[in-house]
């Protein structure tokens, strides 16, 4: 397994791509309301990216037809924007990967449409916190399994389950690189993290059981038991004594400062 290690000058370019992704997610914060379609979100996001001299990495990637992924309620990931109208009480994950000057910035965030249920709100908060907990342990020398252990032990204690069919991934010049970042696991298992590694952590957490299935479109992954699912994602780079979050939003990610 060949894992890319990026330089400090690469980190600057990764941060530029990540900042645009974070700004795009911030831009959407007050746009997500009952009555809009997920296709409308795709269109305004595409326009925003172009205005900031960025393009969408998912568009046409392995045939994916849209610029972003919009995963509503029991959709775990890779939901395709459509004429589906968002209703009061829905929750939606929006996953954006910008491509800027040869580098990628990949992040996703949950948005509440109107007023979601108490359970939905708890699921969102636990998922967000699980990502924060994983990021806070990052430094050279820890094992990849430590990341999964941190997420899984916290999430299961809160009564939710961790999706095992999808994972985070190395990223940089390519959209998907080695290594795979599992969101479950045991301490001290797997390869040791080194300075210069860049990858996403993107826990997908279900209110019910962890099993998923992919719909006939070949992309949309849903919970088998139709329970709600939530996801948060950041792109991180390992530094000499910790990590840099390239997709950090100063406005939104107050739990990571």
């Amino acid at each position: 397994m060949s894992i890319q290690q990026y330089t400090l000058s690469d980190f600057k370019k990764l941060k530029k791509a990540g900042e645009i992704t974070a700004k795009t997610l911030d831009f959407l914060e007050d746009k997500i309301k009952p009555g809009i379609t997920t296709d409308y979100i795709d269109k305004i996001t595409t326009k925003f990216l172009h205005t900031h001299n960025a393009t969408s990495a998912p568009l046409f990637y392995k045939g994916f037809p849209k610029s972003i992924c919009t995963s509503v309620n029991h959709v775990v990931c890779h939901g395709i924007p459509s004429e589906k109208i968002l209703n009061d009480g829905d929750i939606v994950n929006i996953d954006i990967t910008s491509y800027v000057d040869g580098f990628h910035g990949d992040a996703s965030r949950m948005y509440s449409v109107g007023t979601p249920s108490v359970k939905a709100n708890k699921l969102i908060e636990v998922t967000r916190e699980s990502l924060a907990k994983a990021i806070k342990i990052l430094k050279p020398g820890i094992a990849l399994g430590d990341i999964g252990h941190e997420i899984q032990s916290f999430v299961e204690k809160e009564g939710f389950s961790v999706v095992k069919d999808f994972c985070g991934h190395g990223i940089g010049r390519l959209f998907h690189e080695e290594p795979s970042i599992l969101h479950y696991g045991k301490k001290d298992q797997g390869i040791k993290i080194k300075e210069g590694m860049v990858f996403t952590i993107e826990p997908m957490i279900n209110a019910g059981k962890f099993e998923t299935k992919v719909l006939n479109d070949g992309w949309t992954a849903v919970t088998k038991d139709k329970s709600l699912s939530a996801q948060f994602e950041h792109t991180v780079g390992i530094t000499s004594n910790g990590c840099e979050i390239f997709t950090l939003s100063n406005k939104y990610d107050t739990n990571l400062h």
Side-chain angles (χ1 to χ4, degrees):
M1 177 167 52
S2 170
I3 298 175
Q4 187 77 36
Q5 285 173 262
Y6 287 97
T7 64
L8 283 176
S9 65
D10 294 333
F11 270 36
K12 284 180 184 163
K13 291 173 182 173
L14 284 155
K15 187 174 183 183
K16 189 178 170 188
E19 280 177 344
I20 289 171
T21 297
K23 274 182 188 163
T24 313
L25 290 166
D26 287 346
F27 161 75
L28 294 174
E29 280 288 341
D30 61 354
K31 313 286 187 299
I32 311 300
K33 296 173 180 170
I36 67 167
T37 66
T38 51
D39 199 48
Y40 169 75
I41 303 169
D42 182 74
K43 285 187 170 72
I44 62 172
T45 301
T46 304
K47 191 175 176 185
F48 189 89
L49 288 172
H50 287 168
T51 306
H52 290 78
N53 300 313
T55 54
S56 159
L59 185 62
F60 307 132
Y61 178 79
K62 295 186 177 176
F64 191 79
K66 297 286 182 173
S67 294
I68 61 172
C69 298
T70 50
S71 302
V72 182
N73 293 335
H74 72 292
V75 178
V76 175
C77 60
H78 305 154
I80 302 171
S82 68
E83 290 307 308
K84 178 182 173 58
I85 291 171
L86 295 177
N87 296 309
D88 183 53
D90 286 345
I91 60 172
V92 56
N93 174 272
I94 298 175
D95 191 340
I96 297 170
T97 308
S98 60
Y99 184 64
V100 186
D101 297 338
F103 286 85
H104 293 81
D106 188 359
S108 83
R109 190 183 297 179
M110 293 301 296
Y111 298 82
S112 298
V113 186
T115 311
S117 66
V118 171
K119 185 163 193 177
N121 282 329
K122 186 187 176 191
L123 175 66
I124 288 170
E125 275 314 302
V126 167
T127 306
R128 187 179 180 214
E129 187 57 28
S130 76
L131 174 58
K133 283 179 175 293
I135 288 173
K136 281 168 184 168
I137 67 163
L138 294 176
K139 62 182 179 181
I142 72 160
L144 285 183
D146 294 4
I147 298 171
H149 173 79
E150 195 71 23
I151 292 166
Q152 185 179 20
S153 55
F154 171 67
V155 163
E156 291 181 351
K157 190 180 74 194
E158 294 292 333
F160 299 120
S161 65
V162 179
V163 169
K164 297 181 177 177
D165 295 332
F166 301 93
C167 60
H169 53 89
I171 189 170
R173 289 187 184 87
L174 299 177
F175 190 177
H176 292 92
E177 301 178 354
E178 295 290 349
S180 293
I181 309 295
L182 304 181
H183 304 116
Y184 61 97
K186 295 192 169 95
K187 275 189 173 181
D188 300 322
Q189 287 200 344
I191 62 160
K192 297 283 191 279
I193 291 171
K194 293 179 180 169
E195 183 179 355
M197 284 186 182
V198 176
F199 49 81
T200 70
I201 306 177
E202 46 186 293
M204 288 149 266
I205 308 302
N206 295 346
K209 294 180 178 172
F210 68 83
E211 289 90 354
T212 70
K213 65 177 181 181
V214 176
L215 300 185
N216 291 336
D217 61 24
W219 286 102
T220 309
V222 299
T223 55
K224 268 194 179 170
D225 61 7
K226 294 202 164 66
S227 64
L228 291 175
S229 189
Q231 179 188 21
F232 282 89
E233 174 183 18
H234 274 305
T235 297
V236 298
I238 304 302
T239 60
S240 60
N241 61 353
C243 79
E244 183 171 2
I245 308 169
F246 298 127
T247 47
L248 186 76
S249 160
N250 290 325
K251 195 158 76 174
Y252 181 80
D253 291 310
T254 49
N255 62 333
L256 288 168
H257 289 305

